[in-house]
Amino acid sequence: ERLVKQWYQRRVRARDMNYTCICGVPYTALPIATVISVDQNIPMVIRRKEMKDYGTKKMVEGIFEEGESCLIIEDVITTGGSILETVDILQKAGLKATDGVVLLDRQQGG
């Protein structure tokens, strides 16, 4: 946990990314984003994979303001489809999603 968290933090600092919240791509990156959120005291939003027919019925859960910048956290990228889907959903919810950090790129077009 600590090594992965530190790796992500170094990548973000090296690229001087500006963001006010983070979002882990469902489902595997959610624990990583949670650890970073708690450790760095950065708000986290949760992107649902599918809309529920009960509760808030939102695709993005959390406290945020329209126009805020959201950093996307992903564990493994293959084609990039999950990240693009996350960007689309975050943008529809009113967030800016221009930066992301990926732990492992499988070099298959993502």
Side-chain angles (χ1 to χ4, degrees):
E1 163 198 323
R2 185 178 37 163
L3 291 176
V4 171
K5 176 185 69 173
Q6 290 171 348
W7 184 90
Y8 275 101
Q9 290 168 348
R10 283 193 305 270
R11 298 292 291 184
V12 169
R13 274 191 233 116
R15 296 202 172 153
D16 196 31
M17 297 177 187
N18 295 309
Y19 53 92
T20 55
C21 63
I22 62 174
C23 179
V25 176
Y27 287 106
T28 311
L30 290 175
I32 298 167
T34 301
V35 167
I36 294 168
S37 172
V38 170
D39 184 71
Q40 298 295 307
N41 197 29
I42 300 166
M44 178 178 151
V45 297
I46 297 176
R47 185 259 257 204
R48 293 194 180 277
K49 215 164 170 131
E50 60 278 325
M51 188 181 298
K52 305 289 184 187
D53 58 355
Y54 55 88
T56 64
K57 300 180 183 178
K58 295 179 182 177
M59 288 296 289
V60 179
E61 297 286 351
I63 299 172
F64 60 90
E65 298 289 326
E66 188 170 330
E68 282 189 60
S69 295
C70 186
L71 176 68
I72 297 173
I73 304 290
E74 177 64 299
D75 61 335
V76 178
I77 187 171
T78 303
T79 65
S82 295
I83 292 176
L84 293 175
E85 185 177 313
T86 298
V87 168
D88 183 55
I89 289 169
L90 292 173
Q91 288 176 341
K92 286 178 180 173
L95 289 162
K96 294 179 187 174
T98 58
D99 292 312
V101 181
V102 178
L103 181 63
L104 177 67
D105 184 348
R106 295 182 64 193
Q107 300 293 314
Q108 295 182 356

